[in-house]
């Protein structure tokens, strides 16, 4: 079945450690996104990518990094520079940037101890 | 002021009730509008797109008023399974890509 797969689903990290969240899609979508969701808040955009080898900062990119070496994959690294990384992270894809339905992965819940 | 604002909720309604959610957006260049549904600790899923002419999908009706920059979602004959958070989503394509999510309105439908 086509869809988006995020891993891991749950992740615990010590302060000062970098962690990479995986996002893979087999929908043949060009656009991919990373969002962060905190309790009681809407989704906030971290990074997005329109095509392979290209990505743009969203509203809260500080402390995060991404890569888009393959169309199917858009991993997110939460670096030690991110001051408050505990959150629910959602990856999404879209056929064409800004057009049509956003398809989300099941999310990765990161807790910093 | 937030770019997309929704009723804070939560809404607590009995089964069979009709419930309406409101959403306002501040950017007049907004181009596309959506309602997503998010169950507790799950990912959002598209409920319906919103068109100027209004659109209906079974018990759900969405309306857009561009002049007032206002979007609504009406749920008729509420079911227990409608309990979820409803997210208003606005896409602004001018001056750089931007999809903005509202904070969501939580709905509890009780037996």
């Amino acid at each position: 079945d086509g869809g988006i797969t995020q891993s891991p689903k749950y992740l615990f990290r010590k302060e000062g450690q970098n962690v990479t969240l995986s996002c893979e899609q087999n929908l043949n979508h060009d656009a991919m996104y990373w969002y962060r969701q905190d309790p009681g808040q809407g989704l906030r955009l971290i990074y997005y990518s329109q095509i392979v080898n290209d990505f743009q900062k969203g509203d809260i990119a500080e402390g995060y990094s991404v890569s888009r070496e393959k169309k199917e994959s858009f991993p997110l690294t939460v670096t030690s520079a991110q001051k408050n990384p505990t959150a629910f992270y959602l990856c999404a894809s879209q056929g064409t940037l800004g057009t049509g339905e956003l398809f989300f992965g099941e999310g990765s819940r990161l807790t910093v101890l | 002021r937030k770019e997309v604002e929704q009723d804070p909720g939560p809404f607590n309604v009995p089964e069979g009730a009709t419930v309406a959610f409101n959403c306002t957006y501040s950017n007049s260049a907004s181009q596309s509008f959506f309602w997503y549904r998010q169950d507790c600790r799950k990912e959002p899923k598209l409920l319906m797109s919103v068109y100027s002419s209004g659109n209906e999908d079974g018990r759900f009706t969405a309306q857009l008023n561009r002049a007032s920059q206002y979007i609504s979602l009406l749920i008729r004959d509420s079911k227990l399974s409608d309990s979820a958070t409803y997210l208003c989503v606005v896409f602004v394509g001018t001056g750089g890509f931007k999809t903005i999510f509202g904070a969501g309105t939580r709905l509890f439908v009780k037996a």
Side-chain angles (χ1 to χ4, degrees), chain A residues 47-58:
Chain A
Y47 268 98
Y48 67 96
S49 169
Q50 192 169 353
I51 54 172
V52 174
N53 293 323
D54 179 68
F55 49 83
Q56 305 295 330
K57 291 182 179 180

Side-chain angles (χ1 to χ4, degrees), chain A residues 33 35 37 42-43 48 88 90 97-98 101-102 104-106 109, chain B residues 34 36 38 41-44 46 87 91 97-99 101-103:
Chain A
Y33 312 84
Y35 290 93
Q37 187 174 35
L43 278 67
Y48 67 96
F88 187 43
L90 286 157
L97 188 75
E101 182 177 355
L102 280 166
F104 286 89
E106 292 187 335
R109 200 165 294 275
Chain B
F34 309 89
Y36 277 73
Q38 186 174 24
R41 302 178 76 85
K42 299 281 190 181
E43 75 276 21
L46 180 66
L87 303 170
F91 170 66
F97 157 78
K98 208 169 190 181
T99 294
F101 285 76

